[in-house]
Amino acid sequence: MRPQTVQEMASAAEVIRRNLDGHSNTVYVNTRRLTHINMTAFNCIAEILSSACKADRQRKIVIVTSSVIAWSAPLFKTLASDEPNLLVEIYDSAFYPGQTFVEDESFIPILRTQTKMTWRHEREILGRHGLRDGLAIADICCGIGDFATLIKRHFNPTRLLALDHSRKSLEYARRVAADFGLTSIEYTYGDASQMLLADNQFDFVTCRHSLQIFDRPDVLLRELYRICKPGGRVYITNEKNSHCLGEPHSESIRWTYDQVARLFSHFDMDVEMGPKSRRLLTDAGFDAIQVETFMVTNLDGDPRDFANMIEAWENVYAGQMAVRRGDPPDFIRRFRQGFKDHVLAALHPKGYAGWPIWAASGRKPY
């Protein structure tokens, strides 16, 4: 909204007034996609909101904004400070249930080790799903950015955008890219469920291990579909944690990973999503869908890497999430034991430990 005069705001102002006048309880004003506004427009809206607040003190007006739009919350909060029945809601302060866990710095070791171990498989898989040199690529929910750096080094994209909602993760990602001398990755702070990106921009869009930690994966898939060019592909990876396995102590390991799935479900996350990938992509409108699975194991390089990953899982899942859920000490001790047995399986000279991943992609129809 950048009008030169208040008269240019007349139609928009009438829409706001009409909707405010038509409701007497709670009215939500959604400004999540209002990226730019000048003071002419803001003052016009402010006058309408203030008048509506004074006209009916029992009515509550809620301005819904996003942390991605830096100016929005401070400006509307200043306005709300003078009107007790005008509130500002930053909807993405914790816009998915597991955000506090995955944005914690203690999660970084998990992400680094996971990418290190999955890349041995994914480098070949990505080619089968249509990734090649010279494409415009977006890595959505990029986390600490290590996957984006690998894409940059091995696939030479013409453009590479990496988006995440964690400022800490993006700061870390920029440092990692700088260490490798990779200066052309566009690290972007944003909400994956409402990206401020134009339609049909990218040839190849990736979203790894992320749909499973959102309570509305269909919303994210619609956004991935929107920013992908017709004929381009969206590539996702997800897990089925209850199928993690190990030997020896297979029973203890199986019990713990069954509990991992239930624990994530408690926080409205689905780490059993892997086999659902085909249905999710189909429902989102993709065609030419490809699905394959691979097993990350302790035999993929140094077994210590696998053990480190499991130890990091234990720290977050048993040390934070189970505690947050309110699980009793006896449960947490048994829960931890399965992780310790999985580490033992990974490091045992005759042992085997596995973590299954589903890789899937779909084409946006022409």
Side-chain angles (χ1 to χ4, degrees):
M1 290 185 170
R2 287 173 165 168
Q4 293 183 1
T5 66
V6 175
Q7 286 70 33
E8 292 178 43
M9 284 287 294
S11 59
E14 176 57 27
V15 169
I16 298 171
R17 285 195 189 94
R18 185 171 63 249
N19 282 279
L20 289 171
D21 292 343
H23 298 85
S24 57
N25 295 316
T26 301
V27 183
Y28 292 89
V29 182
N30 182 357
T31 67
R32 287 182 291 183
R33 287 190 181 271
L34 183 57
T35 58
H36 298 85
I37 192 170
N38 63 14
M39 290 311 296
T40 300
F42 182 79
N43 288 336
C44 177
I45 292 172
E47 182 180 347
I48 295 169
L49 294 174
S50 296
S51 297
C53 286
K54 291 178 174 64
D56 185 353
R57 289 296 185 185
Q58 301 305 309
R59 174 175 49 200
K60 186 165 66 173
I61 301 173
V62 182
I63 306 294
V64 183
T65 186
S66 167
S67 66
V68 174
I69 313 299
W71 61 265
S72 188
L75 205 55
F76 282 115
K77 282 181 176 180
T78 300
L79 176 63
S81 64
D82 294 328
E83 303 293 346
N85 51 332
L86 181 63
L87 305 173
V88 177
E89 178 184 296
I90 305 174
Y91 93 103
D92 58 338
S93 57
F95 77 109
Y96 61 94
Q99 182 173 348
T100 55
F101 300 118
V102 301
E103 291 191 0
D104 190 282
E105 289 183 353
S106 63
F107 213 77
I108 287 178
I110 297 179
L111 299 175
R112 290 189 66 184
T113 307
Q114 285 184 176
T115 302
K116 180 180 180 181
M117 299 195 70
T118 60
W119 181 252
R120 298 186 181 102
H121 302 267
E122 286 187 89
R123 183 176 178 181
E124 300 299 322
I125 290 171
L126 285 161
R128 294 197 291 272
H129 286 254
L131 184 57
R132 61 185 187 276
D133 288 1
L135 300 183
I137 300 171
D139 184 25
I140 306 303
C141 305
C142 68
I144 59 173
D146 45 356
F147 185 75
T149 62
L150 291 166
I151 291 290
K152 179 65 178 176
R153 293 169 66 189
H154 293 279
F155 287 95
N156 192 31
T158 56
R159 181 189 179 192
L160 177 54
L161 178 140
L163 179 143
D164 201 87
H165 194 264
S166 168
R167 295 186 189 276
K168 288 183 179 179
S169 294
L170 288 171
E171 289 170 5
Y172 184 91
R174 292 185 181 102
R175 291 199 302 271
V176 170
D179 289 343
F180 284 103
L182 302 174
T183 58
S184 59
I185 301 175
E186 302 171 35
Y187 287 110
T188 303
Y189 176 64
D191 169 4
S193 67
Q194 288 219 4
M195 289 183 281
L196 302 175
L197 298 171
D199 298 353
N200 306 321
Q201 283 197 59
F202 299 98
D203 302 297
F204 200 86
V205 180
T206 65
C207 187
R208 301 169 59 262
H209 302 283
S210 297
L211 294 173
Q212 63 191 28
I213 62 171
F214 285 86
D215 56 342
R216 292 288 308 280
D218 55 315
V219 173
L220 265 69
L221 276 168
R222 282 201 296 270
E223 281 291 272
L224 302 180
Y225 182 99
R226 183 181 65 80
I227 67 170
C228 184
K229 294 178 182 178
R233 296 191 72 85
V234 167
Y235 170 88
I236 61 176
T237 62
N238 294 288
E239 306 165 38
K240 186 172 176 64
N241 261 217
S242 65
H243 282 197
C244 286
L245 51 84
E247 186 65 44
H249 303 299
S250 60
E251 292 300 322
S252 168
I253 294 166
R254 185 181 305 117
W255 182 87
T256 283
Y257 285 101
D258 281 341
Q259 298 305 316
V260 168
R262 295 176 185 178
L263 177 63
F264 273 75
S265 179
H266 175 81
F267 292 102
D268 295 322
M269 296 182 280
D270 183 7
V271 288
E272 299 288 275
M273 186 174 286
K276 304 171 188 176
S277 299
R278 184 184 182 194
R279 173 175 60 80
L280 288 167
L281 288 167
T282 301
D283 290 348
F286 294 97
D287 63 15
I289 294 167
Q290 297 174 225
V291 182
E292 56 185 293
T293 63
F294 62 95
M295 183 74 77
V296 177
T297 79
N298 59 323
L299 306 181
D300 297 336
D302 186 352
R304 185 69 248 179
D305 286 341
F306 196 101
N308 289 344
M309 181 177 68
I310 304 308
E311 288 169 351
W313 286 354
E314 179 189 348
N315 289 338
V316 175
Y317 303 165
Q320 296 181 39
M321 295 176 68
V323 172
R324 178 87 62 86
R325 186 172 62 174
D327 293 334
D330 286 348
F331 174 90
I332 292 178
R333 277 194 291 272
R334 184 180 178 189
F335 192 37
R336 284 187 179 276
Q337 187 59 51
F339 292 114
K340 296 183 189 303
D341 289 339
H342 207 195
V343 169
L344 175 64
L347 298 178
H348 194 285
K350 299 180 183 179
Y352 183 85
W355 169 46
I357 307 294
W358 271 251
S361 70
R363 181 182 63 187
K364 181 175 179 177
Y366 289 98

